[in-house]
Amino acid sequence: MTVRKNQATLTPEEKRAFTSALLELKRNGSYDRFVTTHNGFIMSDTDSGDRVGHRSPSFLPWHRRFLLEFEEALQKVDASVALPYWDWTVDRTSRASLFAADFLGGTGRARDGQVMDGPFAYATGKWNINVRVDGRAYLRRDLGTAVAQLPTKAEVDSVLAMPVYDMAPWNSSSNGFRNHLEGWRGANLHNRVHVWVGGQMSTGVSPNDPVFWMHHAFIDKLWADWQAKHPQSTYLPGAGTQNVVDLNDTMRPWNNVTPADMLDHRKFYTFDTEPAAASQR
C-alpha cells in the first residue's frame, strides 16, 4: 500500500527518487500529457456550463483520480515513489525545505521569474516547458509576491468544520466545504496557494511546476480529513443535476470512474498521519 508522506519528512534518498522519476516522465513525454489534460479542463470548466475538474463538486474526486494516474506513472519508473504532500500551513515561506536546491529549487529570479537552481532549472536541459501559455520555455516562480501569506491552520480548520460537502448552484459561488477548499469563497485555500507560488502555477498549465502535485496531494489529504470529521456527510449532488457530475456519473476524461469510486482514498493509499494499521491494508 502506498503511503503519502509529508514532504518535510522525506529522506535525501526519497527526494532524489521522486525528482528522478519526475525527470524520467518528462524525458519520455508522459509528463506533458498530464499538463495538457489539466489545461484543457481548466479552460473549459465554467460556472454556467458543463464543468468537471474545477468550479464544481467533482473538483476533489477529479483531482484525486488525476493524482492517482500520475502516481501510477511515477511508480512505473520507480515502485518506491509516492506523491508527497506539502503542508503549507507549516512550511510557509520561500525558505521551506521543499524549495531547496536539492529538491524543487527556489523562487525565480527578479527580472523574469526563471527558476535558476535545483533539478528543474532550465539550464539543466531536462525541464523545458513545452505546454505553454506564452513563449517562455523555462519554469517560473515568484514565491509570495502576488499574495503575501499562505493559508493558516486556523483558516483550514474553519473550512474543515463546514458540515455540507457542496450545494446549489454547484459552482464557484457555492457556500459549502468543496468551494471554500477550492478557494472561490471564504479563506481562499487551494487557489491562494497557486497564486502564492506564481509563475506557471498561476495558470492552467500549473502542473508544469512539480510543486503542483504536492499541493494537490495536500488538498486531497484535507478532503480525507474532512471525511473523517463528518462521517455522516457525503459527496453532493446525488443525482439529476445539470452540468455537473453527480455521485454516480462518470467523469471525463476517463469515463470509467465516478465520484463514488473516489470517496475512499484508502483503497489506493494512506497518509502518514493515519493509524499504522490502516497503512498496512
Side-chain angles (χ1 to χ4, degrees), residues 30-61:
S30 302
Y31 195 98
D32 287 346
R33 290 195 287 274
F34 286 93
V35 183
T36 298
T37 295
H38 186 270
N39 190 48
F41 277 84
I42 207 168
M43 297 304 291
S44 63
D45 290 329
T46 63
D47 274 344
S48 57
D50 181 42
R51 48 200 182 275
V52 181
H54 308 84
R55 300 171 178 263
S56 65
S58 50
F59 167 73
L60 290 168

Side-chain angles (χ1 to χ4, degrees), residues 17-279:
F18 178 60
T19 57
S20 294
L22 289 168
L23 291 169
E24 173 56 22
L25 292 186
K26 185 70 167 176
R27 187 200 65 78
N28 68 28
S30 302
Y31 195 98
D32 287 346
R33 290 195 287 274
F34 286 93
V35 183
T36 298
T37 295
H38 186 270
N39 190 48
F41 277 84
I42 207 168
M43 297 304 291
S44 63
D45 290 329
T46 63
D47 274 344
S48 57
D50 181 42
R51 48 200 182 275
V52 181
H54 308 84
R55 300 171 178 263
S56 65
S58 50
F59 167 73
L60 290 168
W62 190 93
H63 280 86
R64 179 167 283 178
R65 181 64 182 83
F66 189 56
L67 264 64
L68 267 171
E69 190 171 280
F70 186 74
E71 188 169 56
E72 289 166 0
L74 291 171
Q75 290 172 344
K76 287 177 182 176
V77 176
D78 184 340
S80 74
V81 170
L83 280 178
Y85 62 89
W86 168 31
D87 182 349
W88 27 255
T89 69
V90 175
D91 296 304
R92 307 179 46 75
T93 75
S94 60
R95 298 178 299 281
S97 61
L98 79 160
F99 296 118
D102 69 342
F103 203 11
L104 299 190
T107 195
R109 64 185 178 188
R111 76 168 185 265
D112 59 6
Q114 182 177 164
V115 172
M116 302 300 293
D117 64 343
F120 309 105
Y122 184 67
T124 66
K126 297 179 179 180
W127 202 259
N128 287 11
I129 302 301
N130 301 313
V131 185
R132 308 175 189 171
V133 292
D134 56 36
R136 291 173 283 187
Y138 47 82
L139 179 62
R140 291 181 290 112
R141 292 188 192 123
D142 196 7
L143 303 180
T145 296
V147 292
Q149 295 291 328
L150 288 163
T152 65
K153 186 177 186 302
E155 288 173 323
V156 167
D157 288 345
S158 71
V159 173
L160 291 179
M162 303 181 77
V164 179
Y165 178 81
D166 208 345
M167 59 186 70
W170 317 108
N171 59 20
S172 69
S173 63
S174 300
N175 190 26
F177 163 74
R178 183 277 310 169
N179 197 38
H180 282 257
L181 179 58
E182 189 173 354
W184 299 109
R185 290 194 70 166
N188 184 4
L189 301 184
H190 155 266
N191 289 347
R192 195 198 322 177
V193 177
H194 275 271
V195 176
W196 184 90
V197 175
Q200 282 91 4
M201 272 285 281
S202 294
T203 74
V205 296
S206 49
N208 274 311
D209 192 333
V211 77
F212 171 92
W213 306 104
M214 294 190 196
H215 171 36
H216 271 275
F218 188 54
I219 293 296
D220 186 74
K221 182 181 184 299
L222 293 178
W223 181 25
D225 292 344
W226 178 85
Q227 290 174 303
K229 286 178 179 291
H230 305 279
Q232 303 308 311
S233 299
T234 190
Y235 180 92
L236 293 169
T241 314
Q242 188 175 15
N243 288 330
V244 301
V245 181
D246 292 317
L247 177 63
N248 293 299
D249 288 348
T250 55
M251 291 187 292
R252 293 183 288 110
W254 305 286
N255 298 322
N256 62 353
V257 62
T258 68
D261 296 329
M262 292 291 104
L263 294 185
D264 186 3
H265 70 282
R266 293 166 297 184
K267 295 188 297 184
F268 311 105
Y269 53 87
T270 60
F271 293 101
D272 57 357
T273 54
E274 294 178 298
S279 304

